[in-house]
Amino acid sequence: MIYDVSHLTKVFGRGRHQVRAVDDVSFELEEGQITTIVGESGSGKSTVARMLLGLLPITSGTLTFRGKDVTHLRDRAEYWRQVQAVFQDPFSSFNQFFTVGKLLNRSMKLVGKEAGQQRLEESLGHVGMDLEVLDRYPHQLSGGQRQRVMIARALMMRPALLIADEATSMLDASLRVNILNVLTDLRDSLGMTVLFITHDIGQACYLADRVLVMEHGKMVEQGPTDEVIFSPRHAYTKRLLADVPKLHSALELEQP
Amino acid sequence: MGTLVDARNIRGVYYTGAKDVVAVDDVSIRVEEGEVLGLAGESGSGKTTLGSIISLIARPPLHVEQGTLEIDGKVQELGGDARIPRTWRGSVVSMLPQGAMNSISPTKRVRHLVWDVMRSHDRRISKEVALDRARERITALGLPVRVLDAYPHQLSGGMKQRVVTIISTLLNPRLLVADEPTSALDVSSQKILIEMLLEMLDQKFMSGVIFVTHDLPVLRTVATKIAVMYQGRVVESGPTQLMVDRPQHPYTKALMSSVLTPEPKYSKIRIEGMSGFDRTSFDAPAVIHS
Ligand SMILES: Nc1ncnc2c1ncn2[C@@H]1O[C@H](COP(=O)(O)OP(=O)(O)OP(=O)(O)O)[C@@H](O)[C@H]1O
Ligand SMILES: Nc1ncnc2c1ncn2[C@@H]1O[C@H](COP(=O)(O)OP(=O)(O)OP(=O)(O)O)[C@@H](O)[C@H]1O
Ligand SMILES: [Mg+2]
Ligand SMILES: [Mg+2]
């Protein structure tokens, strides 16, 4: 086990305007596994991610990373080297005045000069981009291109834990599969642990070793992918799965 | 019913100083009255650019070098320094921008944004009327009414996305260009949003929608026709069922075969996606089904 989340709670606001965004949530992340969180919009998925990253004060609960209590960690430099994030919104998480090259340069420095350049090329390759993108400014990129730069930046660090919040929502189906394949490859070759937040059950099914389901701030179901997706127990999970649109009515496409 | 929008031979280029980027390369699309046209395609293929040109909000560095737009029989030249009537924007064509989360002003409460949009269109409208319309649609989308009083950062990704949908349809535009309106939504909320859009078409609040998305299963449920873009061109377009079940163009085939749905086999097999195809085959001529 690499991460232990115990009784995590987040309450926003107070009095009448109080929102219990995350309500007594507990789960573990197994090292070298891909865990996904699915659940309805507003159920608290991003709030969980932000607390794990130390970007949001915790109302109550404890976080343990590699046996160490990180709930109220002060100096996070080393932690963030091991725990990387790709955020839900690729439009706001960029400094608009930096070229992509400059943006990635920082991660490159952390990795070290020689290895850095190689990692840079490798990571851009992982997300289907070439070096030409380095001279561009974020506003010169399409939504999916920005999202891919974010993923490349996180992968460059070869984190022990990658937290990806709707990280592939703006990618076309073929590119998306490629990136999911990269994540499984890195899990297998480097033992990378991934917490992958998505509303897309299809992606969760393809990618995940374990699935966690959230509803209204609570974790209502968790377990191995096959169990949660193909024999769900909680009423909410069942409802969520029933609503998933299918691409094909009857006809199946043959694989090339 | 007739044709609502006929966009012809559109070419959009970003003048970047260094190398020009031809983002939309001679694209023609048509939306019939009451129809939803789904626009899918590779990331970076020009969907957002095309949407902004059709919504008449293209600004430098994007230049429309060529193209015409016909709405309700009125023809508008788009190329060069053609003048576009102010009244067309927002109320004739409205664009629901991609990355909704960032497009709403962070310092204003939602109720303030609603009021701004309504007032910009109709100076005499009362605050109550404006907010009533917003409240009605907020409820219809399954959102709590408290979002009216919230600042954008207090909303989750999917909540913001629905708020932007509400704001961009407040004026009941003839054509709505919705750029990834459901990318941050869970399936149940997606369904509600789509039902609202279809309902608005049914009620004739709007007359047509261009729905840009990477989510092909969603398109199957909502679109009448689908157009697929690759590198600035439409490589294939036609009726939804045909596009999904019997795609002809190599790129469309690659795209459709990469869609992941929750079926037992997908948790076992590996799908090769883009890397399983020969990219040069995607340069094949376009296939346009009528
Ligand atoms: N800064 C904040 N202040 C007040 N409420 C907040 C704040 N951030 C989030 N919330 C509320 O917390 C709840 C959970 O939000 P969160 O962003 O975690 O949801 P989510 O599961 O990521 O949803 P989505 O799938 O739509 O992104 C929502 O009701 C939201 O309005
Ligand atoms: N301001 C700009 N300057 C230069 N190039 C740009 C600019 N904006 C977009 N581009 C380029 O134009 C092309 C088309 O971009 P567009 O945003 O239309 O793609 P898209 O199909 O919407 O992609 P996505 O699905 O990723 O959102 C891309 O290659 C992009 O890098
Ligand atoms: Mg979220
Ligand atoms: Mg786009």
Side-chain angles (χ1 to χ4, degrees), chain B residues 72-90:
Chain B
D72 289 330
K74 280 187 230 124
V75 182
Q76 175 64 49
E77 185 60 43
L78 299 174
D81 32 37
R83 286 190 173 279
I84 291 146
R86 269 192 150 269
T87 50
W88 277 41
R89 289 193 193 114

Side-chain angles (χ1 to χ4, degrees), chain A residues 41 148 172 178 199 246-247, chain B residues 43 183 185-186 220 272:
Chain A
S41 170
R148 285 185 273 161
D172 60 85
N178 280 12
H199 65 268
K246 303 259 177 348
L247 183 60
Chain B
S43 161
S183 66
L185 296 180
D186 61 276
R220 193 181 81 92
E272 278 315 323

Side-chain angles (χ1 to χ4, degrees), chain A residues 45-56 80 83-94 103 143-144 146-154 162-170 195-198, chain B residues 101 157 160 183-184:
Chain A
K45 305 182 296 296
S46 297
T47 306
V48 167
R50 280 153 67 208
M51 287 194 284
L52 259 58
L53 285 162
L55 299 174
L56 197 65
W80 281 332
V83 182
Q84 283 283 312
V86 181
F87 297 101
Q88 181 164 9
D89 179 5
F91 286 79
S92 64
S93 35
F94 272 135
L103 207 106
R146 275 180 243 201
Q147 207 162 39
R148 285 185 273 161
V149 169
M150 298 281 295
I151 297 171
R153 177 167 74 168
L162 174 72
I163 299 182
D165 190 357
E166 302 280 5
T168 54
S169 60
M170 294 185 184
L195 179 62
F196 190 89
I197 297 171
T198 180
Chain B
M101 359 264 203
K160 276 187 239 180
S183 66

Side-chain angles (χ1 to χ4, degrees), chain A residues 155-176:
Chain A
L155 291 181
M156 268 182 74
M157 300 299 294
R158 296 233 176 119
L161 170 63
L162 174 72
I163 299 182
D165 190 357
E166 302 280 5
T168 54
S169 60
M170 294 185 184
L171 301 180
D172 60 85
S174 346
L175 248 168
R176 180 182 289 163

Side-chain angles (χ1 to χ4, degrees), chain B residues 182-240:
Chain B
T182 58
S183 66
L185 296 180
D186 61 276
V187 284
S188 318
S189 317
Q190 272 176 1
K191 215 168 134 187
I192 297 171
L193 188 130
I194 285 166
E195 275 160 13
M196 181 184 89
L197 289 179
L198 294 177
E199 177 71 23
M200 290 176 74
L201 279 177
D202 236 31
Q203 305 257 349
K204 309 245 177 340
F205 289 155
M206 300 184 300
S207 303
V209 178
I210 297 180
F211 196 107
V212 182
T213 184
H214 289 302
D215 197 330
L216 296 159
V218 160
L219 270 195
R220 193 181 81 92
T221 65
V222 68
T224 326
K225 284 187 309 198
I226 295 179
V228 171
M229 288 187 73
Y230 175 75
Q231 295 198 345
R233 301 186 301 135
V234 168
V235 292
E236 185 164 359
S237 71
T240 300

Side-chain angles (χ1 to χ4, degrees), chain A residues 91 129 133 136-148 170-172 175, chain B residues 12-16 19-24 40-52 59-62 98 179-180 212-214 229 232:
Chain A
F91 286 79
M129 299 190 96
V133 72
R136 299 260 195 113
Y137 287 91
H139 70 265
Q140 298 180 318
L141 300 176
S142 76
Q145 288 169 336
R146 275 180 243 201
Q147 207 162 39
R148 285 185 273 161
M170 294 185 184
L171 301 180
D172 60 85
L175 248 168
Chain B
V13 182
Y14 290 97
Y15 295 175
T16 62
K19 207 166 80 190
D20 290 351
V21 179
V22 183
V24 175
E42 192 174 49
S43 161
S45 60
K47 302 179 297 297
T48 297
T49 308
L50 179 64
S52 68
R59 280 189 302 240
L62 173 59
Q98 187 177 17
D179 196 356
E180 302 269 12
V212 182
T213 184
H214 289 302
M229 288 187 73

